[in-house]
Amino acid sequence: MVCIRMATVDDLLYMQNANLWCLPENYQMKYYFYHLLTWPQLLWVAEDSQHKIVGYVLAKMEEDESHKPPHGHITSLAVLRTHRKRGIATLLMIHSQREMRRVFRA
């Protein structure tokens, strides 16, 4: 069982670690900080029963405000191999997209 919750600054190292294990494109920590400071509602983590981060979604809104209606996109989505095929990525996507609509009217 996992808990999907909004990410905090304390989660960023664990998100970066999941990214390093799961994906070929990796980001510097400043990129995670930028997302968290700019769009905190769009970063979500999946936490297992031992409070270990097993997945995350990093999303952002389009920065060019001339695009109407506003729209966002997923920058990065990862789930550790040990926790795949459980619908975790889907839940992370749902939470992030819901907040895009609710907060940014995307």
Side-chain angles (χ1 to χ4, degrees), residues 22-90:
C22 298
L23 301 171
E25 183 178 354
N26 306 127
Y27 306 108
Q28 293 181 8
M29 184 52 66
K30 66 182 178 181
Y31 195 64
Y32 292 92
F33 275 115
Y34 173 67
H35 275 70
L36 185 69
L37 292 171
T38 310
W39 307 282
Q41 308 91 336
L42 305 183
L43 280 68
W44 293 82
V45 294
E47 186 177 65
D48 71 7
S49 59
Q50 280 80 46
H51 305 289
K52 177 183 173 189
I53 302 301
V54 297
Y56 74 91
V57 62
L58 186 68
K60 64 184 276 187
M61 295 303 297
E62 179 63 47
E63 294 181 84
D64 180 358
E65 294 182 13
S66 67
H67 290 113
K68 299 292 180 192
H71 66 277
H73 71 266
I74 303 301
T75 302
S76 183
L77 173 69
V79 175
L80 296 180
R81 188 172 301 277
T82 55
H83 287 74
R84 292 185 185 166
K85 302 292 184 189
R86 300 180 191 185
I88 295 171
T90 300

Side-chain angles (χ1 to χ4, degrees), residues 88-101:
I88 295 171
T90 300
L91 291 172
L92 290 165
M93 290 286 294
I94 288 169
H95 280 76
S96 188
Q97 290 173 325
R98 182 189 65 216
E99 293 301 296
M100 283 181 194
R101 285 189 298 273

